[in-house]
mmCIF file of all heavy atoms in Angstrom:
data_model
loop_
_atom_site.group_PDB
_atom_site.id
_atom_site.type_symbol
_atom_site.label_atom_id
_atom_site.label_comp_id
_atom_site.label_asym_id
_atom_site.label_seq_id
_atom_site.Cartn_x
_atom_site.Cartn_y
_atom_site.Cartn_z
ATOM 1 N N SER B 85 101.057 88.583 123.539
ATOM 2 C CA SER B 85 100.593 88.808 122.176
ATOM 3 C C SER B 85 100.702 90.283 121.826
ATOM 4 O O SER B 85 100.576 91.158 122.701
ATOM 5 C CB SER B 85 99.153 88.316 121.992
ATOM 6 O OG SER B 85 98.243 89.183 122.610
ATOM 7 N N ALA B 86 100.927 90.544 120.556
ATOM 8 C CA ALA B 86 101.105 91.917 120.053
ATOM 9 C C ALA B 86 100.477 91.983 118.666
ATOM 10 O O ALA B 86 101.172 92.033 117.655
ATOM 11 C CB ALA B 86 102.588 92.277 120.019
ATOM 12 N N ASN B 87 99.170 91.998 118.620
ATOM 13 C CA ASN B 87 98.468 91.953 117.342
ATOM 14 C C ASN B 87 98.412 93.327 116.690
ATOM 15 O O ASN B 87 98.205 94.340 117.354
ATOM 16 C CB ASN B 87 97.053 91.422 117.531
ATOM 17 C CG ASN B 87 97.038 90.001 118.084
ATOM 18 O OD1 ASN B 87 98.018 89.261 117.959
ATOM 19 N ND2 ASN B 87 95.927 89.633 118.697
ATOM 20 N N LEU B 88 98.562 93.356 115.378
ATOM 21 C CA LEU B 88 98.483 94.598 114.614
ATOM 22 C C LEU B 88 97.057 94.766 114.095
ATOM 23 O O LEU B 88 96.500 93.838 113.491
ATOM 24 C CB LEU B 88 99.452 94.568 113.438
ATOM 25 C CG LEU B 88 99.418 95.778 112.508
ATOM 26 C CD1 LEU B 88 99.984 97.015 113.210
ATOM 27 C CD2 LEU B 88 100.190 95.509 111.210
ATOM 28 N N VAL B 89 96.488 95.923 114.334
ATOM 29 C CA VAL B 89 95.163 96.246 113.821
ATOM 30 C C VAL B 89 95.296 97.340 112.775
ATOM 31 O O VAL B 89 95.873 98.401 113.048
ATOM 32 C CB VAL B 89 94.206 96.695 114.949
ATOM 33 C CG1 VAL B 89 92.839 97.011 114.366
ATOM 34 C CG2 VAL B 89 94.109 95.635 116.026
ATOM 35 N N ILE B 90 94.800 97.067 111.584
ATOM 36 C CA ILE B 90 94.774 98.066 110.512
ATOM 37 C C ILE B 90 93.323 98.463 110.313
ATOM 38 O O ILE B 90 92.469 97.622 109.998
ATOM 39 C CB ILE B 90 95.350 97.515 109.194
ATOM 40 C CG1 ILE B 90 96.761 96.950 109.416
ATOM 41 C CG2 ILE B 90 95.381 98.616 108.133
ATOM 42 C CD1 ILE B 90 97.351 96.282 108.161
ATOM 43 N N SER B 91 93.047 99.737 110.514
ATOM 44 C CA SER B 91 91.675 100.204 110.347
ATOM 45 C C SER B 91 91.495 100.731 108.908
ATOM 46 O O SER B 91 92.463 101.153 108.272
ATOM 47 C CB SER B 91 91.366 101.322 111.337
ATOM 48 O OG SER B 91 92.210 102.431 111.082
ATOM 49 N N ALA B 92 90.288 100.647 108.411
ATOM 50 C CA ALA B 92 89.961 101.208 107.091
ATOM 51 C C ALA B 92 90.985 100.798 106.039
ATOM 52 O O ALA B 92 91.710 101.639 105.475
ATOM 53 C CB ALA B 92 89.863 102.726 107.173
ATOM 54 N N SER B 93 91.053 99.500 105.779
ATOM 55 C CA SER B 93 92.059 98.962 104.848
ATOM 56 C C SER B 93 91.990 99.651 103.490
ATOM 57 O O SER B 93 90.905 100.008 102.992
ATOM 58 C CB SER B 93 91.834 97.460 104.653
ATOM 59 O OG SER B 93 91.979 96.770 105.861
ATOM 60 N N GLN B 94 93.168 99.789 102.888
ATOM 61 C CA GLN B 94 93.287 100.363 101.558
ATOM 62 C C GLN B 94 93.975 99.348 100.643
ATOM 63 O O GLN B 94 94.692 98.462 101.106
ATOM 64 C CB GLN B 94 94.113 101.651 101.610
ATOM 65 C CG GLN B 94 93.553 102.709 102.540
ATOM 66 C CD GLN B 94 94.473 103.895 102.707
ATOM 67 O OE1 GLN B 94 95.607 103.907 102.210
ATOM 68 N NE2 GLN B 94 94.002 104.909 103.415
ATOM 69 N N LEU B 95 93.759 99.509 99.331
ATOM 70 C CA LEU B 95 94.364 98.573 98.377
ATOM 71 C C LEU B 95 95.892 98.527 98.542
ATOM 72 O O LEU B 95 96.515 97.475 98.392
ATOM 73 C CB LEU B 95 93.994 98.956 96.945
ATOM 74 C CG LEU B 95 92.507 98.859 96.596
ATOM 75 C CD1 LEU B 95 92.265 99.329 95.160
ATOM 76 C CD2 LEU B 95 91.980 97.445 96.784
ATOM 77 N N GLY B 96 96.466 99.667 98.877
ATOM 78 C CA GLY B 96 97.909 99.740 99.057
ATOM 79 C C GLY B 96 98.423 99.022 100.296
ATOM 80 O O GLY B 96 99.638 98.911 100.486
ATOM 81 N N ASP B 97 97.524 98.533 101.126
ATOM 82 C CA ASP B 97 97.944 97.776 102.313
ATOM 83 C C ASP B 97 98.292 96.340 101.960
ATOM 84 O O ASP B 97 98.826 95.602 102.801
ATOM 85 C CB ASP B 97 96.833 97.771 103.367
ATOM 86 C CG ASP B 97 96.579 99.151 103.965
ATOM 87 O OD1 ASP B 97 97.518 99.979 103.960
ATOM 88 O OD2 ASP B 97 95.442 99.392 104.410
#
Side-chain angles (χ1 to χ4, degrees):
Chain B
S85 74
N87 299 338
L88 177 70
V89 180
I90 306 175
S91 63
S93 298
Q94 302 173 354
L95 295 177
D97 293 334

